[in-house]
Amino acid sequence: MSDSDLVIEKPDASRWRVFILAVFVCAAILRIVQIQNAEIWLDEAMTWHYASQPWAEIADFVSSNDVHPPLHYWFTKLFLVFGDGAFALRIGPVLLELLALPLIYWSAFNLAPEGRKRAVGLVAIVLAAASANMVSTGLLARSYAGLYLCFTICFAALSWIVAHREMAVKSVFTSAGGPAALRYGALALGLAGMAWFHNLGLLYGAAVGVIAFLIWIFVLGRRLAAFVNFAAAAGLAFLLYLPQLGTFLRQLGSVSSDYWIQQPSLFGLIRSFLQIFGQNPALQKTSVVGMALAGLVCLIGFCTALALIRQRNWAVLLPTAGLLVAVYGLFVLVTFGVKPIMLNRTMYPMLAPWFVLLALGVCAISWPALRWGLATGLTAILLFAALHVTDSTRWRSEVLQQIAQDAGSAPTLITVPNAAAVMMDYHTRRLDLAINTIPLPAPYPDHSEGARFTTGWPGVPALNDRALQTLETALADNPEDVWVFLRAYWIYDPDALFKPYLDQRYCYQPVDGLPSKLNMVFKLAPRATLAGGPCDDMGNDVHFPYERPDYGRYSLAEPTP
């Protein structure tokens, strides 16, 4: 069979535009219909908290209280004119994630062989639009959608450079280098944007730099003008990021050497890989069917990459599979060599080249029925997962309403860590409940400063004098109607908080209605009101020691006999 027999007949361009527009509209609908399904959770409430500050104070407020750059909070503030509900907080990330779709199509068009460009581009954006990972990224009021868009800009710039080598090697400082200047300028904007949206954008930028260097060697023939172009793009990106550099260095020094993210086990690493590249973020437990489907998706990408290696097609391999390997490899190296940073949601932004790689593999199949059947089946697998990415439970609102109902007067809700107070205060305001939310201030940045009791688990803030004073004041003001909210990333065993400080005066009982032990709410009951009854009647210690499935058992205090 000749090569001409494999060329797909191209419909007119207007028909392809209709297809692309239809995909974009369907992608928007898929996200917007789910935008209010899930309650605002802790990290998203922090976005609301920071973005609610005055424009001129956001940068200083974030640099003093957070470990992320301010661009996402500035961007979110634009949409607070629509209120402070889930739609206002999430519509910005949804728009950023959708804007990546035309860039993915353009990248696929540049990298695909002649005769298949529009087909590969269409399949790539269909996969990106149906991806559960990308839907969840867009529906999260955090900075990951901005990181995804900026990384996709870098990917699109590299795809143009390898597809238009003759123009890419012309100096951007000459009149003939005008088209190249636009693409290298976009590369610089993408690099700077990643770092302004999220500090891990610097790691993404390092990966882009590695691949750009390899493209210069293997694709651009080590032309001096191309090297100068890349250097100019890197220099411009650095100048654009320079105002944030000092804040980043301060934030880097403020992060505790012990952190709640842990190094994954071998099985955890495999599962995370399947969740990310197999496009199944809900693969939390061992599922034969789920792992098989995720493995099928990964197999298509692997086979495509192997074919490119056999063909020595560096112009396509480097900006797709090479870029993916560079980003993922840096995450693994930092996690096991410096500090654990592997969270799935921080790695989803790398997936734009993956969709193009999958599309190249699908469209390389010579039999039309098998080709489009596989594309349809792959889309169905992704779409099924994308329809199940949001958690529709309302446990935060239900628990707060239960507390308000059970209290004899205005109740007090103490939270650990202090970030959880922002989340509960957000929902209290939305529900118009009279609950006094009091955070226990975690030491920042030194987790051991003034500590009276060390929790014993890496990254868990010890209660210092300031926190103890806050706790004592709260109990003195309202000794009867007191609840405590614990976020399990910080306190895995409530005994670590209760026994050193409250055991002589209070018993505690878990409040039902929470979906997991990741978040725990306890009602404090003064021993004096129990008329000599045993504290065990209050359900003391019924849930612990706490056993977290992916890391094992943690019991931070001595177990009760």
Side-chain angles (χ1 to χ4, degrees):
M1 183 178 292
S2 65
D3 291 341
S4 61
D5 295 328
L6 299 179
V7 176
I8 300 172
E9 183 179 353
K10 296 184 291 185
D12 60 273
S14 61
R15 184 181 303 178
W16 286 101
R17 294 191 188 100
V18 172
F19 290 159
I20 294 167
L21 180 61
V23 172
F24 190 87
V25 171
C26 291
I29 293 173
L30 177 62
R31 287 148 178 80
I32 291 174
V33 297
Q34 300 186 75
I35 200 168
Q36 300 192 78
N37 280 6
E39 281 190 313
I40 296 298
W41 65 291
L42 187 144
D43 284 7
E44 292 181 303
M46 296 303 296
T47 292
W48 162 76
H49 182 55
Y50 294 137
S52 298
Q53 307 304 316
W55 281 100
E57 299 177 15
I58 288 179
D60 290 339
F61 191 79
V62 170
S63 65
S64 301
N65 296 276
D66 199 12
V67 290
H68 298 299
L71 181 57
H72 168 66
Y73 305 115
W74 283 327
F75 181 72
T76 300
K77 191 170 182 65
L78 294 173
F79 298 93
L80 293 187
V81 296
F82 300 111
D84 59 1
F87 179 85
L89 291 173
R90 292 172 178 156
I91 189 61
V94 166
L95 293 176
L96 292 177
E97 194 252 321
L98 289 173
L99 285 174
L101 290 178
L103 293 172
I104 291 174
Y105 176 84
W106 188 59
S107 302
F109 190 92
N110 278 323
L111 296 175
E114 291 295 333
R116 299 179 184 271
K117 290 183 175 296
R118 290 193 175 95
V120 173
L122 181 62
V123 173
I125 63 169
V126 167
L127 297 178
S131 166
N133 294 337
M134 293 300 95
V135 173
S136 63
T137 297
L139 293 178
L140 188 63
R142 295 298 284 166
S143 57
Y144 306 115
L147 178 58
Y148 171 60
L149 174 62
C150 292
F151 181 70
T152 306
I153 291 173
C154 294
F155 170 52
L158 292 177
S159 70
W160 182 90
I161 289 170
V162 300
H164 302 83
R165 277 160 269 187
E166 292 184 1
M167 286 188 284
V169 296
K170 294 180 179 179
S171 173
V172 298
F173 300 103
T174 64
S175 58
L182 290 176
R183 276 66 179 191
Y184 284 103
L187 179 63
L189 289 175
L191 289 169
M194 288 191 294
W196 272 99
F197 268 109
H198 199 290
N199 284 335
L200 285 177
L202 294 169
L203 184 146
Y204 277 83
V208 170
V210 169
I211 297 304
F213 182 72
L214 294 177
I215 287 174
W216 176 69
I217 292 176
F218 292 102
V219 180
L220 301 182
R222 304 182 186 182
R223 299 282 292 274
L224 177 61
F227 182 86
V228 172
N229 291 346
F230 278 125
L236 178 58
F238 177 77
L239 290 176
L240 292 173
Y241 180 67
L242 191 59
Q244 173 64 16
L245 181 60
T247 299
F248 166 72
L249 294 175
R250 289 196 302 272
Q251 291 173 333
L252 188 66
S254 72
V255 176
S256 170
S257 59
D258 295 321
Y259 200 44
W260 61 267
I261 304 176
Q262 301 293 289
Q263 289 182 353
S265 63
L266 178 60
F267 175 76
L269 194 63
I270 295 173
R271 184 180 61 187
S272 173
F273 188 91
L274 291 175
Q275 287 174 319
I276 296 169
F277 296 102
Q279 300 296 301
N280 192 347
L283 198 65
Q284 297 294 343
K285 298 180 180 179
T286 303
S287 167
V288 175
V289 175
M291 294 187 74
L293 293 176
L296 174 63
V297 177
C298 291
L299 182 62
I300 296 172
F302 291 157
C303 291
T304 307
L306 288 175
L308 293 172
I309 292 173
R310 290 183 61 186
Q311 299 165 8
R312 296 180 179 273
N313 190 347
W314 310 121
V316 178
L317 180 69
L318 287 174
T320 54
L323 191 54
L324 291 166
V325 170
V327 176
Y328 191 81
L330 285 176
F331 266 94
V332 172
L333 286 175
V334 173
T335 292
F336 289 94
V338 182
K339 179 184 298 184
I341 59 171
M342 292 186 73
L343 281 176
N344 285 0
R345 61 179 179 266
T346 64
M347 294 187 284
Y348 290 159
M350 77 169 76
L351 287 175
W354 180 245
F355 300 127
V356 175
L357 193 65
L358 291 175
L360 288 168
V362 169
C363 293
I365 299 174
S366 57
W367 297 329
L370 180 58
R371 178 173 61 244
W372 295 113
L374 181 59
T376 303
L378 194 57
T379 303
I381 293 173
L382 270 60
L383 191 58
F384 177 79
L387 292 172
H388 297 82
V389 298
T390 55
D391 177 13
S392 59
T393 60
R394 292 286 188 267
W395 66 264
R396 299 165 187 85
S397 299
E398 292 170 358
V399 167
L400 287 170
Q401 288 169 336
Q402 180 180 341
I403 289 174
Q405 181 179 353
D406 293 345
S409 59
T412 296
L413 178 63
I414 300 171
T415 68
V416 180
N418 50 3
V422 175
M423 177 181 69
M424 303 308 276
D425 184 56
Y426 171 85
H427 289 288
T428 298
R429 290 170 179 264
R430 298 281 298 173
L431 295 169
D432 195 24
L433 298 175
I435 298 178
N436 183 26
T437 303
I438 297 178
L440 289 189
Y444 183 88
D446 186 352
H447 283 189
S448 60
E449 177 186 357
R452 291 190 184 176
F453 176 76
T454 303
T455 57
W457 192 76
V460 179
L463 292 186
N464 60 10
D465 292 337
R466 181 182 169 209
L468 290 174
Q469 184 178 3
T470 302
L471 179 63
E472 292 295 334
T473 302
L475 295 177
D477 291 342
N478 188 357
E480 299 291 335
D481 295 314
V482 181
W483 280 258
V484 177
F485 176 91
L486 303 181
R487 175 78 169 171
Y489 280 151
W490 280 263
I491 301 293
Y492 274 89
D493 186 342
D495 283 343
L497 171 68
F498 295 132
K499 286 201 174 297
Y501 310 116
L502 304 172
D503 193 51
Q504 300 301 316
R505 293 175 291 167
Y506 289 92
C507 297
Y508 54 93
Q509 65 177 14
V511 174
D512 294 329
L514 280 72
S516 71
K517 297 172 187 173
L518 177 61
N519 300 284
M520 300 169 282
V521 177
F522 296 88
K523 172 70 169 71
L524 296 186
R527 290 178 182 268
T529 65
L530 297 179
C535 276
D536 290 341
D537 290 346
M538 298 299 294
N540 206 19
D541 298 327
V542 295
H543 285 318
F544 297 91
Y546 175 70
E547 186 168 353
R548 185 176 178 186
D550 47 353
Y551 296 139
R553 176 170 293 187
Y554 293 92
S555 182
L556 307 182
E558 292 296 324
T560 302

